[in-house]
Amino acid sequence: MLLTHATLARMTGGYGLIPDAAVVLDGDRILWAGPMSDLPRDHRGEAFDCGGRLVTPGLIDCHTHAVHAGHRAAEFELRLNGASYAEVAQAGGGILSTVRATRAASGADLLASALPRIDQMIASGATTIEVKSGYGLTVEDELKMLRAARQIGAERPVTIRTTHLAAHAIPPEYQGKANAYIAEVAIPSLRAAQAEGLVDAVDAFCETIAFSLADLQPLFAEARALGLPVKLHAEQLTDQSGAAFAAGHGALSADHLEYLSSGGIAAMAAAGTVAVILPGAFYTLRETQAPPIAALRAAGVPMAVATDLNPGSSPLASLTMAMNMACTLFRMTPEEALLGTTAHAARALGLADRGRIAPGLRADLCLWDADHPAELSYRIGATPLHARIFGGRLDR
Ligand code: DI6
Ligand code: FE
C-alpha cells in the first residue's frame, strides 16, 4: 500500500513533520516514509491519496481497565453529594463494588461488555490498548479477566497488551491482611497467568487505601523471577515513594504521579521509567494537585498520556480527549501529548516496534481530518479520525 500527499507526523524526536509526504507499506510493516519528491520510483504503484490530511502513528492507550462489569454512576452521584474517593472506598463502594460485579460475571459477559468500550477507543484512533486485571481479586477471577482481555484482540483489529493487577485492592475476605492476600492470591494468580501466556506486565496500586511498598516487595520479586516487567500506580492520592520503588525495579512506567517528589523524578530519570499521565482520573476526582509536568520535562523523563478507562475514577474512552485534558489541565504541550499517545506510550508498554513512523515498524497509522497535529489536542471531545490502518490494513 502507498499513501500519498500526507501531512506526516512521524513522532521521531518531536512531531517529525513532513508536509507533503508519502508512506510505503509492505504487509504489516512500514517500508519507507519521506517527502513525495523523494519517493523511490519502484514504489509508484496504486496509491491512497491522503489529500493533505494529517497522518500519525496509530494511537496507543497504555493504561486502561477496559475489562470490568457494571458501572458506577451511583458513586459519581455520591461524590457529587460530598463523599471523597477514599470515603467511598472505605464504605465498601469504589473498586470493591466493581469487584462484586466482576466476580459475578462470566468471561463471555466481561468480553461482551468490554467490546463497546474498545470500539469507542478504536474510533478515537487507538491501534494498541493495554488492559489490566484487578477487579477479580481471586486467582480464578483474575485469570477470567485476563482471558477476556486477550480475547478482545481476536475480536477486533487492535493489539491488546495485558497487565496483571491483582494488587489493585484488598478484597473484604483479606481486610487487614494485605501480605496474606499477596502471598495467597496475587502471586499464585501471577504464576498461573504467566503459565497460561496471559500476561505482558505486572502492575499494583501503591496507596494508603491499597498496598504499601512492603506489601508489594514479594510481588515485584516474583515478577522479576518470571521475567516480567513491572509498572506501578504511584503517588496518585498521596506520596508513598512508589515511583522511586518502581524505578528501582526497572519499571516500564510509574502512573498517575500527582504527588510525585523530586526524589521520585530523579529515580525515574535514572531508570528510564516513563511517567504515565492520567488526566481523566484527576478530572473525575476533582483533584487539585497536578503532576509535576515542568519538573518531569526538565529531568528528561518521557511522558505518556492514557485514558485510565475505568468505571470509578475515569470513565473516559477517548485518547484525544485525554490529550486535550493533559494540555489544558496539566500544561503539557500538544506535541508532548501526541508523543504521549504514540512514541512514549509504546515505551511505557516496552514495545519497540510501534509509536513512530519509520521503516521496519508496524504499519499502524491514523489518517485524520486535520492539517496540523496540534488539532488533535486542541478540539474538545472531537473524534476527527478519517481512517485507520491496522497492521497494513485500512479498516474504516
Ligand atoms: N487508581 C485509579 O484511579 C483506579 N485504580 C487505581 O488504582 C480506580 C479504579 C476504580 O475506582 O475502579
Ligand atoms: Fe489505573
Side-chain angles (χ1 to χ4, degrees):
M1 189 187 235
L2 169 63
L3 303 181
T4 58
H5 302 294
T7 301
L8 197 61
R10 292 171 296 165
M11 309 318 291
T12 47
Y15 283 138
L17 266 184
I18 303 178
D20 188 31
V23 185
V24 183
L25 308 181
D26 181 19
D28 68 355
R29 298 285 137 176
I30 297 165
L31 192 62
W32 185 90
M36 281 297 292
S37 52
D38 293 354
L39 181 62
R41 252 178 219 294
D42 51 339
H43 291 140
R44 289 177 205 271
E46 210 189 323
F48 182 95
D49 189 339
C50 298
R53 286 190 182 84
L54 175 67
V55 174
T56 68
L59 301 189
I60 299 171
D61 197 337
C62 68
H63 182 140
T64 89
H65 307 253
V67 168
H68 58 260
H71 64 78
R72 304 232 294 275
E75 175 186 327
F76 176 65
E77 185 141 38
L78 261 182
R79 281 204 317 273
L80 283 165
N81 282 292
S84 72
Y85 185 70
E87 282 162 356
V88 168
Q90 274 152 12
I95 293 178
L96 293 181
S97 66
T98 301
V99 171
R100 283 190 293 276
T102 301
R103 285 178 174 179
S106 69
D109 293 339
L110 289 178
L111 176 63
S113 71
L115 287 176
R117 294 189 277 272
I118 295 292
D119 288 339
Q120 272 184 276
M121 298 161 97
I122 287 173
S124 81
T127 52
T128 298
I129 300 173
E130 184 255 20
V131 180
K132 301 176 193 293
S133 67
Y135 291 115
L137 312 187
T138 69
V139 173
E140 262 320 304
D141 291 313
E142 287 295 300
L143 293 172
K144 178 177 74 181
M145 286 190 73
L146 291 168
R147 289 186 198 114
R150 275 280 199 259
Q151 190 59 26
I152 292 168
E155 304 275 338
R156 293 293 188 271
V158 67
T159 301
I160 300 294
R161 299 292 285 182
T162 51
T163 300
H164 174 273
L165 177 61
H168 190 199
I170 301 164
E173 62 273 21
Y174 280 96
Q175 261 333 305
K177 296 184 290 186
N179 51 5
Y181 174 77
I182 295 288
E184 293 166 19
V185 178
I187 290 175
S189 64
L190 177 58
R191 288 194 185 127
Q194 172 72 339
E196 223 182 291
L198 291 174
V199 55
D200 299 314
V202 179
D203 193 355
F205 186 21
C206 174
E207 192 52 67
T208 53
I209 57 168
F211 296 91
S212 70
L213 297 184
D215 298 333
L216 296 176
Q217 184 65 48
L219 178 65
F220 275 23
E222 184 64 28
R224 178 173 302 220
L226 293 171
L228 288 167
V230 296
K231 349 176 109 250
L232 191 65
H233 286 67
E235 274 75 275
Q236 180 186 4
L237 307 170
T238 58
D239 180 9
Q240 301 291 314
S241 300
F245 171 81
H249 285 79
L252 289 173
S253 70
D255 304 37
H256 286 289
L257 304 174
E258 277 78 350
Y259 290 83
L260 181 63
S261 67
S262 54
I265 294 172
M268 289 176 70
T273 298
V274 175
V276 177
I277 303 301
L278 302 168
F282 173 93
Y283 168 86
T284 300
L285 301 179
R286 304 179 73 236
E287 294 287 324
T288 50
Q289 179 159 328
I293 299 299
L296 286 163
R297 180 187 292 136
V301 175
M303 292 181 276
V305 174
T307 60
D308 196 16
L309 171 58
N310 76 68
S313 67
S314 192
L316 167 67
S318 164
L319 268 175
T320 49
M321 187 68 211
M323 289 161 63
N324 172 267
M325 289 177 170
C327 293
T328 299
L329 298 175
F330 295 160
R331 314 311 290 163
M332 285 178 73
T333 67
E335 186 175 68
E336 287 171 334
L338 188 54
L339 283 165
T341 55
T342 56
H344 294 166
R347 191 165 153 184
L349 295 177
L351 296 173
D353 67 345
R354 66 196 69 194
R356 289 168 290 125
I357 296 176
L361 299 191
R362 260 187 74 86
D364 290 348
L365 302 170
C366 288
L367 279 61
W368 302 96
D369 287 316
D371 51 39
H372 191 276
E375 281 182 68
L376 302 182
S377 294
Y378 155 76
R379 297 189 191 284
I380 301 172
T383 303
L385 188 67
H386 180 75
R388 206 189 66 131
I389 294 171
F390 176 73
R393 288 172 183 272
L394 191 67
D395 73 18
R396 60 172 267 165

